[in-house]
């Protein structure tokens, strides 16, 4: 058994003069304070990778910088799924009695500390070095290919995809730390600059500076406990050229195993935090996870199903699409927001019921998946 006992999150956007270590440190201290712990009580650290500061021993570099001496340290890298993969590993470590309090942390100054070309080059390396990278595709290009196929198979339109960007922006408007605070419409998304058709600028998450952290402990450290009820992973491929059929991607495998581990059904979910690097990512994952039928996720958005006051509120901080995306820390913000919702501390974003939450992370081009259920206990 393990519990998320504290969370920390910086604003996302532009942090001039802050290094990746600075942003990680700020988020880490917020999480430790939130858990009611001292730095000296942290005996494990899990650190997400960084493209801005790609040190081969980033976890211990951060531990030294932050002033802790953990008995267990590890760096993890499975793309956008890294945050939840680290949470799953922390859960297993405390359950096994290896450590008592694990600090999970990541952050990058990708917006101010890395050039546009360097960022594009670094992320494009998820492609096959012989069959894909030499042809010059970018991450948006890979997802554009996926989007075209998905739209063809399930009758999804560009207007449908735009609905997800509009919803995420609507949610971001109420969070002071979000990168974007200007409302947008479906028409705005449709009129935005083409990036990798059918994906346009507002279908894509931004590049951000920011940091996120949380503490995973063997026991609750406050009155309301947020327990890891069950989790699972799936890794079906790395490269687009080796990907299985759209109906056989890893999200379906991971969620099936997570439901079995947690002993819950999708109908039990009251809050959802789902990876949203692109609008097509969110549309596909919601359907793969069983939160909507094939081709019908956009209709559920339009009906208000995933709104703050809907049946299953989704990414109430604005997600990657509007809160921002600073690498591994981007998706970790989803868990921070979930914890705030589950402990009744989300302020004007607070939903009616977040007693059972589903989180899902996606790494690569729908390559690596982690599904997780969190449960509120007293």
């Amino acid at each position: 058994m393990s519990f998320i006992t504290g969370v920390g999150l910086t604003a996302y956007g532009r942090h001039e003069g802050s290094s990746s270590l600075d942003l990680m440190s700020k988020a880490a201290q917020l999480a430790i304070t939130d858990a009611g712990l001292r730095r000296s009580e942290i005996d494990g650290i899990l650190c997400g990778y960084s493209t801005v500061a790609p040190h081969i021993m980033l976890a211990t570099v951060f531990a030294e910088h932050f002033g802790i001496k953990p008995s267990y340290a590890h760096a993890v890298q499975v793309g956008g799924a890294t945050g939840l993969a680290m949470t799953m590993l922390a859960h297993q470590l405390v359950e096994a009695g290896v450590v008592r309090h694990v600090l999970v942390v990541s952050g990058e100054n990708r917006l101010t500390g890395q050039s546009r070309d360097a960022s594009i080059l670094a992320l494009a390396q998820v492609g096959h070095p012989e069959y894909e990278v030499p042809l010059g595709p970018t991450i948006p290009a890979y997802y554009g290919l996926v989007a075209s196929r998905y739209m063809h198979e399930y009758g999804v339109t560009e207007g449908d995809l735009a609905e997800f960007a509009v919803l995420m922006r609507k949610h971001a408007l109420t969070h002071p730390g979000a990168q974007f605070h200007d409302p947008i419409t479906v028409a705005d998304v449709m009129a935005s600059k083409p990036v990798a058709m059918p994906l346009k600028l507002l279908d894509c998450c931004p590049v951000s500076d920011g940091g996120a952290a949380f503490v995973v402990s063997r026991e609750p450290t406050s009155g309301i406990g947020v327990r890891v009820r069950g989790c699972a992973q799936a890794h079906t491929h790395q490269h687009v050229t080796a990907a299985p059929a759209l109906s056989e991607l890893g999200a379906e495998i991971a969620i099936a195993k997570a439901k079995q581990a947690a002993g819950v059904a999708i109908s039990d979910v009251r809050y959802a935090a789902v990876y949203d690097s692109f609008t097509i990512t969110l549309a596909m994952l919601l359907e793969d996870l069983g939160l909507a039928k094939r081709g019908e996720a956009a209709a559920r958005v339009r009906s208000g199903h995933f709104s703050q006051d809907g049946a299953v509120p989704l990414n109430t901080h604005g997600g990657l699409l509007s809160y921002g995306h600073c690498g591994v820390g981007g998706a970790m913000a989803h868990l921070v927001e979930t914890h705030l919702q589950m402990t009744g501390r989300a302020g004007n974003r607070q939903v009616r019921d977040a007693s059972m939450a589903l989180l899902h992370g996606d790494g690569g081009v729908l390559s690596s998946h982690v599904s997780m259920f969190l449960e509120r206990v007293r």
Side-chain angles (χ1 to χ4, degrees):
M1 187 176 296
S2 73
F3 297 83
I4 313 295
T5 52
V7 296
L9 183 68
T10 72
Y12 281 12
R14 184 175 293 274
H15 288 270
E16 296 285 357
S18 292
S19 69
S20 293
L21 290 176
D22 292 335
L23 294 165
M24 292 166 68
S25 297
K26 183 175 182 179
Q29 187 56 58
L30 288 170
I32 292 170
T33 300
D34 192 46
L37 299 172
R38 300 182 303 276
R39 292 191 189 192
S40 59
E41 294 178 273
I42 300 297
D43 52 357
I45 180 171
L46 296 174
C47 179
Y49 68 94
S50 168
T51 61
V52 179
H55 198 284
I56 61 173
M57 297 177 66
L58 188 56
T60 48
V61 166
F62 174 75
E64 178 184 85
H65 177 83
F66 194 59
I68 59 175
K69 296 181 179 181
S71 59
Y72 184 97
H74 197 61
V76 180
Q77 51 190 86
V78 280
T82 301
L84 286 185
M86 291 193 293
T87 310
M88 181 173 176
L89 178 55
H91 161 69
Q92 294 171 332
L93 286 169
V94 299
E95 271 201 326
V98 177
V99 286
R100 189 175 183 82
H101 301 291
V102 182
L103 174 66
V104 179
V105 62
S106 188
E108 290 190 68
N109 57 332
R110 278 196 182 184
L111 181 58
T112 60
Q114 188 174 59
S115 71
R116 174 183 177 275
D117 289 346
S119 181
I120 290 173
L121 180 62
L123 297 177
Q125 302 311 304
V126 301
H128 194 286
E130 295 180 30
Y131 305 127
E132 296 171 5
V133 173
L135 300 177
T138 60
I139 290 289
Y142 290 127
Y143 274 91
L145 291 172
V146 173
S148 294
R149 183 65 190 179
Y150 199 79
M151 291 165 64
H152 171 74
E153 289 195 15
Y154 298 106
V156 174
T157 68
E158 292 181 37
D160 288 334
L161 296 183
E163 295 284 358
F164 299 96
V166 173
L167 177 64
M168 291 301 96
R169 184 61 60 87
K170 177 183 176 183
H171 285 172
L173 297 179
T174 61
H175 198 306
Q179 187 165 349
F180 298 123
H181 290 109
D182 298 321
I184 58 174
T185 65
V186 169
D188 292 330
V189 180
M190 297 290 284
S192 62
K193 179 182 177 181
V195 174
M197 295 304 289
L199 302 178
K200 294 162 288 297
L201 184 64
L202 293 178
D203 286 299
C204 309
C205 66
V207 176
S208 316
D209 298 337
F214 35 87
V215 178
V216 181
S217 305
R218 204 173 303 169
E219 299 168 354
T221 58
S222 64
I224 300 176
V226 175
R227 180 166 75 98
V228 178
R229 176 74 180 258
C231 42
Q233 299 185 25
H235 308 272
T236 55
H237 65 285
Q238 172 58 39
H239 305 112
V240 170
T241 47
L246 293 182
S247 60
E248 300 172 0
L249 292 172
E252 292 190 73
I253 301 169
I255 191 62
K257 293 193 296 184
K259 287 190 294 185
Q260 183 176 14
V264 301
I266 292 299
S267 58
D268 297 320
V269 173
R270 297 293 176 264
Y271 180 86
V274 179
Y275 197 78
D276 60 316
S277 52
F278 301 93
T279 53
I280 183 60
T281 317
L282 188 53
M284 290 179 64
L285 291 178
L286 288 171
E287 295 170 9
D288 288 350
L289 296 171
L291 290 167
K293 293 181 179 179
R294 296 288 187 195
E296 297 182 7
R300 286 209 150 184
V301 171
R302 282 190 287 265
S303 73
H305 186 82
F306 296 117
S307 296
Q308 180 180 329
D309 58 354
V312 183
L314 171 71
N315 298 351
T316 49
H317 64 306
L320 299 169
L321 286 166
S322 279
Y323 190 86
H325 193 0
C326 60
V328 173
M332 288 173 63
H334 289 61
L335 190 148
V336 172
E337 176 72 3
T338 302
H339 192 274
L340 294 176
Q341 291 286 0
M342 298 186 83
T343 54
R345 299 183 296 155
N348 60 359
R349 304 184 311 281
Q350 188 64 50
V351 303
R352 289 191 303 270
D353 180 9
S355 55
M356 179 70 71
L358 165 61
L359 299 92
H360 187 86
D362 155 43
V365 187
L366 299 166
S367 311
S368 292
H369 295 266
V370 183
S371 294
M372 178 173 296
F373 290 95
L374 299 182
E375 177 185 35
R376 184 177 63 221
V377 294
R378 291 187 182 274

